[in-house]
Amino acid sequence: EELKAEARALARAADASVYSPQLLAKKYGSRPIKAVKRTLEILVALGTFALKLFLDQKNGTLDQNKRKRAAELRTIFTRLGPTFIKLGQGLSTRPDLCPPEYLEELAELQDALPTFPDADAFSCIETELGMPLESIFSSISPTPIAAASLGQVYKARLKYSGQTVAVKVQRPGIEEAIGLDFYLIRGLGFFINKYVDIITTDAVALIDEFASRVYQELNYVQEGQNAKKFKMLYADKEDILVPDIFWNYTSGKVLTMEWVDGVKLNEQAAIERQGLKLLDLVTTGIQCSLRQLLEYGYFHADPHPGNLLATPEGKLAFLDFGMMSETPEEARFAIIGHVVHMVNRDYEAMARDYYALDFLSTDVDVSPIVPALRDFFDDALSYTVSELNFKTLVDGLGSVLYQYPFNVPPYYALILRSLTVLEGLALYADPNFKVLAASYPYFAKRLLTDPNPYLRDALIELLFKDERFRYEQ
């Protein structure tokens, strides 16, 4: 019955849009006035903000005006729409990039966004599901309990079972808004590829990857299937919770799922009032993320605080499965091997790993890269590896990547985002938290138990050098 219900939901979403740069270029290339108007709107909004920051710095009032400017930036992102709201959501989880005042203001972009009329939402539900509202729900909140960048959520009770559910309804006109933005941003990507030498990564490929993920988020049936797959792979651990999907009440623009009571992961005080510890939950999240990235390769690519809840029972609940990605199998093993080579300071092997990671073409000579890796890691590893934070490695490795013909694949950029978000959450609770130390148990267990020949060799390489046991590690 569930499979039949899922098939009917798929049929309801048969006309869902997919990302096509060619179709966007055809659509907006013939509408230059609209494109120029939107470009000016973006440039004026962000340019005015940048000018205010410049004047604050010149007048010595930068610190004094931080809260005011942070609120202004949140307002600007909200006014510019869904694409920029998603940018703000990413920044809200990066204490290494943004001062606390900005983090607090931008965090409101997770679910405190302007709503659209409830009449439009209820009409969308009836149109999409082909049934009157009262025949589906015995009750539904008169106003949304949360509003996100692409839709808003209502709390309801199903008429047939009495179960409490969350009903997400898509914003009207969302495709038009994000389509124009991605057309313009992709044009900027071509400009970066051609004229900005310091950025060696293919900017257009990264933009296309991100845009395709956002377009997937517009298909709520796809999101439901993502949640189903995620639950099957990772909710086998008792500390992870993934809500069920109600397929009979789901379509391309309406998603009905099990209601989850919980506290957002960035609300430390509320978590502790429940007798829970934020760092325990973050550690659970890191262990689950490592399984996602390195075990099955299927991972949640948008784990901002609004999508991670601490339940009263101490479980970590994952929500919002619109943006998912996959790590290729060869890359999964290469990442684990890369960590082993980093611990062993085997920089020649580290350089060769970039072939398997698809960072370098096989015709590129890696020998010039080895000294750069040695210079960075010999300094970084003057501490033990477990004392390093993830940001230090990302920033240091980034400076190496920029010097050579690296091409960072889109899946890797999403991996970095996923892990830096979790580290960012941990830094709220403990400025000295080290994501690599929390990752050690996973790597140790994987190397000791996985029968894969590549990982068997990696374990031997970790434990022995020149046929001698590395007891000092």
Side-chain angles (χ1 to χ4, degrees):
E1 286 299 319
E2 184 180 354
L3 288 174
K4 289 179 181 177
E6 185 177 347
R8 289 192 293 270
L10 277 167
R12 287 192 287 270
D15 60 347
S17 296
V18 294
Y19 175 65
S20 169
Q22 294 76 24
L23 288 179
L24 291 181
K26 184 177 180 180
K27 180 177 181 179
Y28 296 109
S30 61
R31 301 160 73 182
I33 295 176
K34 188 177 182 70
V36 169
K37 183 179 177 182
R38 177 60 173 168
T39 301
L40 290 174
E41 182 184 1
I42 294 169
L43 289 177
V44 168
L46 297 181
T48 302
F49 179 76
L51 179 61
K52 288 181 179 180
L53 288 182
F54 173 76
L55 293 175
D56 284 347
Q57 188 171 25
K58 189 175 181 180
N59 297 330
T61 57
L62 198 61
D63 289 337
Q64 179 184 333
N65 289 339
K66 267 184 186 175
R67 175 67 65 178
K68 180 180 177 182
R69 298 290 176 247
E72 288 175 357
L73 184 61
R74 173 176 53 80
T75 302
I76 288 170
F77 281 164
T78 302
R79 192 170 66 245
L80 287 176
T83 311
F84 289 87
I85 287 169
K86 287 207 161 289
L87 172 63
Q89 288 175 347
L91 289 174
S92 74
T93 58
R94 293 299 302 271
D96 53 307
L97 297 179
C98 298
E101 295 85 354
Y102 282 80
L103 295 175
E104 292 169 15
E105 289 291 337
L106 294 178
E108 293 188 25
L109 293 174
Q110 310 293 4
D111 55 10
L113 295 171
T115 60
F116 59 89
D118 299 303
D120 290 350
F122 296 152
S123 174
C124 178
I125 294 173
E126 292 183 332
T127 302
E128 287 287 305
L129 301 182
M131 292 181 279
L133 206 65
E134 57 271 16
S135 71
I136 306 170
F137 308 113
S138 57
S139 65
I140 187 168
S141 56
T143 57
I145 51 95
S149 53
L150 304 183
Q152 59 194 33
V153 180
Y154 294 85
K155 187 176 183 179
R157 188 177 296 277
L158 290 176
K159 190 166 187 177
Y160 88 97
S161 67
Q163 289 171 283
T164 304
V165 294
V167 185
K168 184 159 72 168
V169 187
Q170 196 169 111
R171 288 181 180 273
I174 190 74
E175 290 180 39
E176 180 74 16
I178 67 170
L180 177 56
D181 281 348
F182 281 125
Y183 167 71
L184 296 174
I185 293 170
R186 196 169 193 267
L188 177 63
F190 280 112
F191 177 85
I192 291 171
N193 283 351
K194 188 171 182 179
Y195 297 108
V196 183
D197 294 335
I198 193 171
I199 299 178
T200 57
T201 299
D202 186 343
V204 173
L206 286 175
I207 292 165
D208 284 345
E209 172 77 7
F210 179 67
S212 67
R213 302 297 173 189
V214 173
Y215 266 76
Q216 284 180 22
E217 287 190 78
L218 295 180
N219 183 349
Y220 285 175
V221 172
Q222 178 65 57
E223 180 176 344
Q225 291 181 313
N226 293 343
K228 178 182 175 181
K229 181 175 180 179
F230 193 92
K231 184 182 184 78
M232 178 185 71
L233 292 177
Y234 308 115
D236 57 329
K237 301 293 185 184
E238 61 180 17
D239 49 8
I240 300 293
L241 188 149
V242 178
D244 287 322
I245 305 298
F246 293 87
W247 294 109
N248 283 322
Y249 311 109
T250 293
S251 73
K253 296 181 180 180
V254 176
L255 176 65
T256 303
M257 63 167 57
E258 176 187 359
W259 179 266
V260 178
D261 285 311
V263 178
K264 288 191 294 185
L265 221 57
N266 61 346
E267 297 179 357
Q268 185 178 355
I271 288 172
E272 291 178 349
R273 280 197 296 272
Q274 294 188 23
L276 306 174
K277 293 182 180 179
L278 174 60
L279 287 182
D280 289 345
L281 290 157
V282 169
T283 300
T284 295
I286 289 170
Q287 296 297 315
C288 184
S289 290
L290 290 169
R291 290 186 71 205
Q292 293 173 51
L293 303 176
L294 302 176
E295 199 165 318
Y296 296 106
Y298 184 73
F299 66 94
H300 195 301
D302 191 25
H304 65 70
N307 292 340
L308 298 168
L309 299 184
T311 72
E313 300 79 28
K315 294 186 177 185
L316 179 63
F318 283 80
L319 305 177
D320 196 344
F321 299 90
M323 189 177 287
M324 310 296 288
S325 191
E326 295 189 51
T327 316
E329 184 177 37
E330 185 180 11
R332 299 203 295 269
F333 295 135
I335 291 170
I336 297 173
H338 201 59
V339 172
V340 171
H341 296 148
M342 180 182 70
V343 172
N344 289 349
R345 307 192 189 204
D346 187 345
Y347 304 120
E348 289 80 6
M350 282 184 72
R352 290 193 298 273
D353 289 336
Y354 296 126
Y355 294 137
L357 288 169
D358 205 22
F359 278 30
L360 290 172
S361 171
T362 52
D363 59 359
V364 174
D365 179 18
V366 295
S367 56
I369 300 170
V370 174
L373 290 172
R374 181 177 289 110
D375 289 344
F376 167 66
F377 281 104
D378 275 350
D379 180 51
L381 298 179
S382 57
Y383 304 97
T384 64
V385 177
S386 63
E387 291 175 330
L388 285 172
N389 64 35
F390 190 66
K391 178 185 176 298
T392 301
L393 287 183
V394 171
D395 289 351
L397 206 50
S399 66
V400 174
L401 299 183
Y402 287 137
Q403 299 174 43
Y404 299 96
F406 281 90
N407 181 43
V408 178
Y411 77 84
Y412 189 75
L414 291 172
I415 288 175
L416 295 184
R417 181 174 181 232
S418 180
L419 288 175
T420 50
V421 162
L422 286 166
E423 185 171 63
L425 287 167
L427 292 174
Y428 278 111
D430 180 6
N432 297 314
F433 182 85
K434 301 295 182 282
V435 72
L436 290 175
S439 303
Y440 256 30
Y442 174 85
F443 280 100
K445 180 181 178 182
R446 189 74 188 277
L447 287 171
L448 288 168
T449 61
D450 198 305
N452 181 275
Y454 182 94
L455 298 185
R456 297 284 87 195
D457 291 343
L459 176 61
I460 293 169
E461 190 177 340
L462 179 67
L463 296 177
F464 296 92
K465 183 177 183 180
D466 299 329
E467 299 184 355
R468 297 184 64 182
F469 182 59
R470 294 171 178 266
Y471 62 87
E472 70 278 5
Q473 290 189 30

